[in-house]
Amino acid sequence: MDTQGTTTGSTPHTPPPHPARPRAARRLAAAGAAVFALLATAATPLPPAAAPPEAPAKVRAAAPERSLTIAVAQSVDSLSPFLATRLVSTTIHRLVYEYLTNYDAKDARTIPALATAWKSSPDKLTWTYTVRDDSTWTDGRRATAEDAAWTFNKMMTDEGAASANGSFTANFKKVTAPDPRTLVVELKKPQATMTALDVPIVPKHVWEKVGDLSKFNNDKAFPVVGNGPYVITGYKPDQYVKLKANKSFWRGAPKFDELTMKYYKDGDAAVAALRRGEVGFVQGLTPAQAASLKSEPDIKVNDAPGRRFFALAANPGARDRAGRKFGDGHPALLDPAVRRALFQAVDRRAIVDKVFRGHAVEGQGYLPPRFADYHWKPPAGQRIDYDPAAAARTLDDAGYRKNADGKRVGKDGRPLDFRILCHATDPNDKAVGKYLTEWWGELGIGLKVECLDSVSDRWLAGEYDLAFDGYSVNPDPDYVLSIHTCAALPATPDASGQTDNFICDRQFDDLYGRQTVEYDKARRADLVKRMQSRLYDTGYMNVLVYPNAVEAYRTDQIASITTMPAAGGNIWGQDGYWSWWSAEPAAASGDASGRGSGPSPAVWIVVGAAVLMVFAIVFVVVRRRGTTAEDRE
C-alpha cells in the first residue's frame, strides 16, 4: 500500500446635488466626493470614538490570523496514531503528538523531543529517559513520563493499539514511570532502535477512556488533545483536516495560526488551485505539472531526492501467523521463476525517463540512496537487468510455454493472466501499468490494471496478484524492514496486522533479529544490506524507482520553510514537524506581522473600488455625449 485562512468613524458629509445639474453629472460629482472623503478618511487618523466608561482608553486591533491550505494527494486513513499508516496521517500525527526523540532537520541525527536525555544500562537491557517538564497537553495538563508509559504498555498488551507501530514495542519487557520526569523501559534483549522510537505519545487521561482501540479513529471530538505544534480542530473524511497552532508548544508556537490539509483526488485540480492562490502548497507533482509551474510568478518548485521507494509487489500467498491461507493470489506467482521473468521484462530506465521524466532514480535495493549508510546495490552477478529475451527463456525453462494463441500457460493449463492493484489517484501507477501491459504482453502474459480509489480492502484481504507499492523510509530503517517479517502477519485473516505484503521468510527474519540487537553501526548496516539482498532475491518486492519529492509552494503565502535535510531536502512528509512548524508567512502588505499604523487593506480595497466606479461613470458620461436618445437610460 502507500503509506504516503478582521473600524469605526463618522460618515463624511456630502452637499446635496445642485438641482440644475444633469443626473449623470450629479452621480459623477457624488461618486467623486465619496472617493475623496474615503481617501481623506484613509489618510487621516480617525478621532477616537466615544467609549463606555468601563472600556480601556486605547484598544489595539487583533492581529489577523495567518492561515495556509496544503493540498494533499492522500485521504486520511485514521486520526488515531495507533492505527494510521498513510503518510498524510502520520505527517499530521507528527504535528499533534511529540515522540520521545526527534530527528534534526539538518542531518537527521537524533535530538531531544519529549525526552531531554536518555541512557542505557551496560547490558543495554534497561533504558532510562528524562522527560521534559515544559511540555503541556492542549487541555492544560502537563505531559509526563506516565503518558509515555501508558502509551507503550497499551501497545504491549492490546493488539489494536499495536496495529501501526507494534514492532517498536514487541521486544519491551516492562515499562514504568517512577516519577513524572523518569521513564524506564526494560527489554527482553538489546534493541538498536531505542533512540528512534517513532511512536506518538498520547495523553493517558484522554485515551484510557477509549474502549476498543482497533475501531477508534479519534475523529469525533474536537479539538484533539495533543502536545505538538498544532491541534486538530476539524475533520471531514476524504475532504480536509483543520489544525490550529498550539501557542503553548514548548519549542515555540508555529508562525501560521491555522493549517488546512485539503484532499485533492485530481492532481491537476490541486495545481489549478495553487495557481489561483486557493492553496499555498502542493506535493506529488508530475513532471509535466512541475515544468508548467516553474515559470509561474510567486510559485517555487522544490525538486529533491526522495525518502520513498516505488515498487512492484507480488502476492506471496496471504496468510495469518498461524499459517491459515486466505485471498486469491495467482498460484503461478509462488514460482520464483515467474517472479524473476516478470522483473526481467521491466525496463526501469524507461520508467525513470518516460514516466518520471528524470525526477527519479532507478530502483535497486529496498532503501533509497538518500540513506547512504544503509543503501544497497546488487552486484553485477545478482542484478536483474531488463532483458526480454532472457525473461522468455526463464519462462520456457520453467515450463510456461506459449499456446496456439500466444498465451503463456502453466503445467495446469492455466494462463498467466495477472491483476495489478493500482491507486486511481496516482498517475504514476497508471502510466507504469500501461508499460507493464505492453512489456509482459510481448511475453504472452496478460495484465489487468485495476485502479481503485482505495486499495486497502482488497490488499488486506489478499485479493490481488500484483500491486504498486510504496513507503517512506525513516532515518532508522527498522520499521520498513519489520513489515516484511513473519511477526508482522495478521493474527487472524480478519485482522490487519502490520505486514505490507504478507512476506514471511525465515532467512530474512533471522537477519532482522540480528540487526535489531546490533549497536555497532557498521555491523548493523552490513546486516541491513544483507536483508535487502535477500528481499531482492525472493522477488516479492521489486523496487522500480526512488521518486524525487517534487512539490511547489506560493512565495506570496510562504516566505520561507525548512527542508529536510536542510541542503536540498523535501518539505512534505518529513521525519519530524520542521516544515510546517518553521514556515514563515509572507507579508501581504506592510510589515510581516500584519499590523501597521496605516490604513487597513480593507480600506484600500473600498477606495480602489470607488475609484474604479468614478472612472466607469466618467467613461459613460463622455461616451454618452455622442450617442442617440435611444441609448439613454
Side-chain angles (χ1 to χ4, degrees):
M1 287 175 283
D2 205 343
T3 52
Q4 276 242 216
T6 40
T7 114
T8 62
S10 59
T11 303
H13 175 68
T14 303
H18 193 282
R21 294 178 182 173
R23 181 164 42 173
R26 291 200 306 269
R27 289 183 178 175
L28 177 58
V35 170
F36 289 122
L38 274 170
L39 288 171
T41 302
T44 306
L46 293 171
E54 69 273 15
K58 244 177 144 181
V59 178
R60 179 185 290 268
E65 285 201 343
R66 300 302 185 101
S67 62
L68 180 69
T69 299
I70 301 164
V72 298
Q74 279 182 320
S75 60
V76 169
D77 55 342
S78 178
L79 289 180
S80 166
F82 294 113
L83 302 178
T85 58
R86 291 183 185 172
L87 182 60
V88 63
S89 308
T90 57
T91 295
I92 291 169
H93 290 143
R94 285 186 181 275
L95 293 170
V96 175
Y97 304 101
E98 276 278 42
Y99 297 12
L100 283 181
T101 60
N102 206 333
Y103 302 102
D104 189 271
K106 182 178 180 181
D107 55 13
R109 63 185 173 86
T110 300
I111 61 173
L114 184 60
T116 59
W118 45 87
K119 61 181 179 180
S120 69
S121 60
D123 61 4
K124 306 292 186 183
L125 291 177
T126 301
W127 284 76
T128 303
Y129 300 84
T130 301
V131 174
R132 65 176 55 256
D133 59 7
D134 57 351
S135 177
T136 57
W137 299 111
T138 49
D139 61 2
R141 295 203 190 188
R142 177 180 160 190
T144 69
E146 182 62 29
D147 295 304
W150 187 90
T151 300
F152 291 139
N153 276 305
K154 198 66 178 175
M155 293 170 64
M156 294 161 58
T157 59
D158 187 324
E159 188 88 27
S163 296
N165 300 305
S167 63
F168 290 111
T169 59
N171 182 47
F172 286 14
K173 179 181 179 181
K174 185 180 181 181
V175 183
T176 57
D179 62 68
R181 294 203 63 198
T182 306
L183 176 73
V184 180
V185 180
E186 298 178 37
L187 304 171
K188 300 172 188 175
K189 57 186 177 181
Q191 182 169 323
T193 62
M194 295 307 289
T195 60
L197 298 172
D198 293 319
V199 176
I201 304 301
V202 302
K204 174 187 174 181
H205 64 281
V206 174
W207 285 82
E208 66 183 353
K209 300 173 185 176
V210 177
D212 188 351
L213 284 175
S214 69
K215 299 178 180 178
F216 180 71
N217 281 313
N218 197 29
D219 58 1
K220 297 296 186 291
F222 301 102
V224 171
V225 178
N227 64 339
Y230 279 94
V231 184
I232 301 175
T233 58
Y235 168 64
K236 193 163 186 178
D238 299 324
Q239 293 191 40
Y240 63 79
V241 177
K242 288 187 177 293
L243 304 103
K244 281 278 189 181
N246 178 5
K247 301 298 184 181
S248 62
F249 181 50
W250 70 268
R251 202 183 287 273
K255 311 301 187 301
F256 277 101
D257 300 294
E258 183 179 75
L259 296 180
T260 300
M261 304 280 186
K262 186 175 181 180
Y263 172 56
Y264 282 86
K265 181 179 177 180
D266 185 337
D268 288 333
V271 170
L274 182 74
R275 284 194 170 98
R276 294 191 299 266
E278 295 172 1
V279 302
F281 175 87
V282 173
Q283 49 90 206
L285 296 175
T286 66
Q289 291 167 344
S292 72
L293 289 172
K294 283 186 176 180
S295 60
E296 290 280 339
D298 301 320
I299 291 179
K300 178 178 176 60
V301 174
N302 186 51
D303 188 350
R307 54 182 280 243
R308 296 181 64 77
F309 62 78
F310 177 70
L312 179 66
N315 189 338
R319 52 182 161 166
D320 65 16
R321 286 179 218 157
R324 289 169 293 206
K325 297 180 180 180
F326 57 94
D328 60 2
H330 199 299
L333 289 171
L334 302 179
D335 187 338
V338 173
R339 299 195 301 273
R340 181 178 181 85
L342 290 178
F343 205 46
Q344 285 176 314
V346 174
D347 189 346
R348 286 165 289 168
R349 185 72 252 167
I351 293 174
V352 170
D353 294 339
K354 296 180 180 180
V355 176
F356 290 87
R357 303 289 180 181
H359 299 271
V361 176
E362 185 177 340
Q364 297 181 78
Y366 187 63
L367 304 177
R370 169 168 165 171
F371 304 101
D373 291 341
Y374 297 111
H375 179 59
W376 171 82
K377 296 180 180 180
Q382 186 180 5
R383 178 184 169 100
I384 301 175
D385 291 311
Y386 175 58
D387 190 339
R393 290 194 298 271
T394 298
L395 291 172
D396 288 339
D397 294 345
Y400 298 90
R401 298 185 177 275
K402 289 184 177 180
N403 61 17
D405 297 324
K407 297 283 295 182
R408 292 276 177 182
V409 294
K411 296 173 184 177
D412 58 0
R414 183 176 176 177
L416 298 189
D417 286 329
F418 301 127
R419 306 156 299 169
I420 186 167
L421 278 181
C422 156
H423 300 81
T425 57
D426 192 334
N428 296 322
D429 282 16
K430 297 175 183 177
V432 174
K434 291 180 180 179
Y435 280 107
L436 295 181
T437 302
E438 175 186 339
W439 294 331
W440 294 348
E442 292 173 357
L443 283 178
I445 296 174
L447 183 66
K448 181 180 180 182
V449 183
E450 300 179 335
C451 294
L452 307 174
D453 288 343
S454 175
V455 302
S456 297
D457 290 343
R458 289 271 302 277
W459 200 308
L460 295 174
E463 296 172 354
Y464 64 97
D465 300 326
L466 301 143
F468 290 113
D469 198 5
Y471 256 89
S472 293
V473 179
N474 297 327
D476 189 294
D478 181 85
Y479 179 78
V480 291
L481 296 172
S482 75
I483 60 179
H484 297 306
T485 61
C486 299
L489 292 173
T492 66
D494 295 329
S496 60
Q498 298 172 63
T499 187
D500 176 44
N501 190 37
F502 299 101
I503 294 173
C504 179
D505 178 76
R506 296 302 174 187
Q507 185 175 331
F508 182 88
D509 269 25
D510 176 67
L511 291 167
Y512 176 78
R514 292 167 61 187
Q515 69 83 30
T516 299
V517 302
E518 183 55 71
Y519 283 89
D520 182 274
K521 190 171 182 178
R523 288 198 290 267
R524 186 179 181 219
D526 178 65
L527 289 166
V528 168
K529 290 176 181 178
R530 290 169 62 185
M531 292 176 69
Q532 294 177 80
S533 176
R534 177 60 182 168
L535 203 58
Y536 187 88
D537 286 345
T538 63
Y540 288 119
M541 285 297 299
N542 302 292
V543 177
L544 303 177
V545 299
Y546 312 110
N548 287 6
V550 188
E551 49 204 5
Y553 64 91
R554 293 198 64 92
T555 56
D556 55 357
Q557 294 187 31
I558 303 174
S560 66
I561 192 166
T562 298
T563 60
M564 185 177 186
N570 58 291
I571 295 172
W572 175 253
Q574 295 181 358
D575 303 297
Y577 41 63
W578 309 114
S579 52
W580 309 117
W581 173 74
S582 72
E584 291 273 359
S589 63
D591 65 309
S593 69
R595 294 187 297 269
S597 57
S600 71
V603 170
W604 287 115
I605 290 171
V606 173
V607 171
V611 170
L612 288 174
M613 181 179 71
V614 170
F615 287 146
I617 294 173
V618 170
F619 174 79
V620 170
V621 170
V622 171
R623 186 181 176 205
R624 283 179 176 171
R625 288 176 181 171
T627 60
T628 64
E630 286 76 13
D631 294 317
R632 296 175 185 166
E633 293 179 347

